[in-house]
Amino acid sequence: MNDLISQLQSLVGAAHVLVGGDLSAYELDWRRRQHGKAFAVVRPASTAEVAAVVRACAAAGTPIVPQGGNTGMVVGSTPDTSGTQVVLSLQRMQAVRDLDSANLTVTVEAGCVLQSLQERAREAGLLFPLSLAAEGSCTIGGNLATNAGGTQVLRYGNTRDLCLGIEVVTPQGETWEGLSGLRKDNTGYDLRDLFIGSEGTLGVITAATLKLYPLPAATLTAWAAVPTMEAAVQLLTMARRKLGAGLTGFEVMGQFALSLVARHYPQMRVPFVQDSPWCVLLENADHESEEHARAQFESLLEAALEAGCATDAVVAENIAQARQLWHVRESIPLAQAEEGLNIKHDISLPISSIPAFCAETDARLVREIPGVRLVNFGHLGDGNLHYNVQAPEGGDAVAFLREREHAVNDLVHRQVARFKGSISAEHGVGSLKVDSLPTYKSAVALSMMRAVKRALDPANLMNPGKVLRL
Ligand code: FAD
Ligand code: MLT
Ligand code: ZN
């Protein structure tokens, strides 16, 4: 084993092989659900170095856990507790290799932080639309590996839809340079799409070619109080009709989720939180002008108030106000973390079923799990709810999770299956949901997934124990 350490040191430099000391930034997941123990943390600076590290680990039979910003929600990016797994951090690989304005593409290394890429695109007068609250620290490699969603999916799609090509180091340490910027290429199986969403279990993504878009002339944000989840869905239907492709964001937030923001960040102004069981944040991006976008928004909100699907509404006057509204929404996961350990359900459902799902599942949870607190928010425009559960007020969250997590997950996941939804809309499977997957995914699908994993990674060295058990 010490041979491997010295080999890794000679490949990437001793300063970039971390052993011992406080490695919690790499070993502890964002949600503090599991503190693993790494054999070493290795930080290569180039694709060639990644390939050499992977070859050395493969020869030693040492498993690898690829890691970007370590912001994942399902304990996918941290090692297990055995002390035998190498964490391969892509954080030093941040270069933007190429930006092609005419082709509307950018080629970027996997460790590039999402926000840096957004800024780089904006400097070129273009838009990279992926957006999520972790954008200041999550990386493009992690976004691709989890097929991240975020707040612009209803207009631009998930990360998969934004990717035209990738570069991958295989579990054997070979490099596949698939950085095509082509929008059409039907030359066989789509290997790119196999790696997107594979959560580090099939290889290491080292770079990608991604789509860019023209910047809209104006982007406006509105916040509406809505009386019920049915009303929120009705408002979504109206917004789609009236705004068309201009509708770029539609987020729903339950009163308790917002009250956690008000409680933990009292300096923030949370509109309508006392007055309404639900709030909705809408975004309208317009390619004509701000006046046009504002007139469209005002007409939509007037119609919504008249129809009773909104009880109050405001359109942000300027960019600073819009940012404040988004900041409230994006602070919900952080406020929830401040409130204590919690159970997350990142679920998707047919949008039409969401009101009935919530009514039934809320009632069952409240009845069957005494004192339970529901933190419900999410990307309603994509049919994706973060249907989360917080321990009873003042209770011992660790004990609550130990005693109740299984029952809570079982209840919610069965309800999701009953309404024909998915138990993971955007966060992935990681190790948190690996044992639930066989209950909710068809045996045929799982057997094809295992066949792919065995074909590409026969020694099971790439992020073992995540997504699938072999
Ligand atoms: P990591 O957490 O480091 O890794 C995630 C997974 O990808 C792991 O399985 C890891 O092994 C693998 N991986 C990482 N890099 C590579 C690579 N280069 N090659 C191969 N595999 C790799 N997610 C959403 O989808 N939508 C949201 O709205 C959203 N909001 C969030 C808000 C907050 C506050 C936080 C903390 C997280 C949020 N997330 C969200 C979850 C998370 O940020 C995303 O999943 C993100 O894409 C992970 O990127 P990362 O670089 O941190 O990856
Ligand atoms: C979000 O939409 O804010 C995230 O996916 C994070 C979460 O679910 O907590
Ligand atoms: Zn989300």
Side-chain angles (χ1 to χ4, degrees):
M1 279 299 203
N2 285 339
D3 280 359
L4 180 60
I5 297 285
S6 46
Q7 229 182 316
L8 294 171
Q9 286 172 336
S10 70
L11 293 171
V12 303
H16 300 297
V17 180
L18 314 180
V19 197
D22 179 12
L23 297 180
S24 51
Y26 303 93
E27 293 176 332
L28 176 64
D29 71 294
W30 191 87
R31 289 178 59 204
R32 312 180 80 80
R33 294 298 310 261
Q34 188 185 298
H35 198 148
K37 166 123 192 61
F39 171 69
V41 176
V42 184
R43 295 162 35 93
S46 67
T47 302
E49 284 189 8
V50 172
V53 166
V54 172
R55 281 196 297 273
C57 290
T62 297
I64 288 176
V65 182
Q67 190 181 89
N70 195 15
T71 67
M73 291 283 180
V74 288
V75 194
S77 52
T78 45
D80 66 15
T81 50
S82 67
T84 60
Q85 303 186 328
V86 161
V87 172
L88 195 160
S89 167
L90 279 294
Q91 277 176 341
R92 288 174 69 216
M93 292 183 56
Q94 303 197 349
V96 174
R97 291 189 190 162
D98 180 49
L99 192 150
D100 183 339
S101 304
N103 198 42
L104 286 173
T105 50
V106 62
T107 298
V108 65
E109 290 184 346
C112 180
V113 170
L114 172 56
Q115 193 174 329
S116 313
L117 179 57
Q118 294 166 343
E119 284 163 7
R120 181 71 179 78
R122 192 170 284 271
E123 279 160 26
L126 294 167
L127 172 74
F128 182 63
L130 182 65
S131 179
L132 42 121
E135 64 200 22
S137 40
C138 67
T139 63
I140 294 303
N143 301 149
L144 286 159
T146 59
N147 185 26
T151 57
Q152 304 276 296
V153 172
L154 84 170
R155 167 67 180 83
Y156 297 101
N158 295 296
T159 309
R160 182 187 302 285
D161 304 293
L162 299 171
C163 181
L164 294 170
I166 52 172
E167 181 184 85
V168 167
V169 170
T170 69
Q172 294 71 36
E174 290 175 316
T175 301
W176 171 46
E177 204 277 54
L179 290 171
S180 137
L182 303 175
R183 284 170 174 78
K184 291 188 161 185
D185 180 7
N186 283 344
T187 52
Y189 302 146
D190 198 330
L191 298 173
R192 174 197 64 205
D193 273 354
L194 207 50
F195 289 98
I196 299 173
S198 66
E199 299 182 52
T201 61
L202 299 180
V204 184
I205 298 168
T206 48
T209 300
L210 303 163
K211 290 183 195 167
L212 297 172
Y213 291 82
L215 271 174
T219 302
L220 294 190
T221 303
W223 187 280
V226 295
T228 59
M229 188 57 103
E230 283 87 349
V233 171
Q234 200 186 335
L235 177 57
L236 172 63
T237 306
M238 289 172 84
R240 283 193 199 280
R241 274 203 204 115
K242 285 200 177 261
L243 307 178
L247 182 67
T248 48
F250 195 99
E251 300 285 310
V252 72
M253 296 152 289
Q255 191 171 38
F256 182 60
L258 288 173
S259 77
L260 289 181
V261 176
R263 175 186 291 186
H264 292 286
Y265 307 110
Q267 73 284 7
M268 263 186 224
R269 212 180 69 74
V270 184
F272 312 140
V273 63
Q274 263 102 38
D275 316 323
S276 179
W278 297 97
C279 285
V280 165
L281 190 157
L282 305 92
E283 191 182 81
N284 182 20
D286 192 271
H287 284 271
E288 218 173 292
S289 66
E290 181 168 337
E291 293 68 41
H292 184 249
R294 198 169 285 281
Q296 270 190 323
F297 240 168
E298 281 168 0
S299 137
L300 165 70
L301 295 172
E302 267 166 35
L305 290 167
E306 214 165 280
C309 59
T311 52
D312 211 339
V314 283
V315 181
E317 286 298 324
N318 49 44
I319 293 174
Q321 271 184 19
R323 284 217 180 103
Q324 280 167 17
L325 295 175
W326 274 108
H327 191 45
V328 171
R329 156 61 183 92
E330 289 176 346
S331 298
I332 297 174
L334 294 109
Q336 233 206 309
E338 293 285 343
E339 184 71 7
L341 276 183
N342 52 69
I343 305 172
K344 278 190 190 288
H345 302 109
D346 162 42
I347 58 176
S348 61
L349 296 153
I351 293 169
S352 47
S353 304
I354 285 181
F357 169 88
C358 290
E360 250 187 45
T361 316
D362 289 8
R364 284 196 55 189
L365 274 172
V366 168
R367 201 170 55 235
E368 293 175 32
I369 318 279
V372 80
R373 296 181 296 163
L374 298 179
V375 183
N376 192 354
F377 66 101
H379 318 286
L380 186 63
D382 316 324
N384 176 190
L385 293 180
H386 297 305
Y387 189 81
N388 300 339
V389 169
Q390 204 83 30
E393 179 85 49
D396 175 349
V398 176
F400 177 77
L401 261 68
R402 192 177 55 240
E403 287 157 21
R404 298 294 196 168
E405 183 168 21
H406 186 74
V408 169
N409 286 344
D410 201 48
L411 192 161
V412 173
H413 290 165
R414 280 172 194 275
Q415 283 289 95
V416 169
R418 194 170 107 58
F419 282 89
K420 302 201 180 331
S422 165
I423 64 163
S424 178
E426 57 174 11
H427 295 162
V429 177
S431 54
L432 270 192
K433 293 185 188 154
V434 67
D435 292 319
S436 304
L437 202 62
T439 311
Y440 299 100
K441 192 122 190 144
S442 89
V444 180
L446 277 170
S447 129
M448 287 192 284
M449 283 169 64
R450 286 201 188 94
V452 169
K453 169 73 175 169
R454 288 198 178 105
L456 295 189
D457 182 19
N460 192 23
L461 292 179
M462 276 293 162
N463 220 359
K466 315 287 169 51
V467 183
L468 278 176
R469 291 203 195 282
L470 292 182

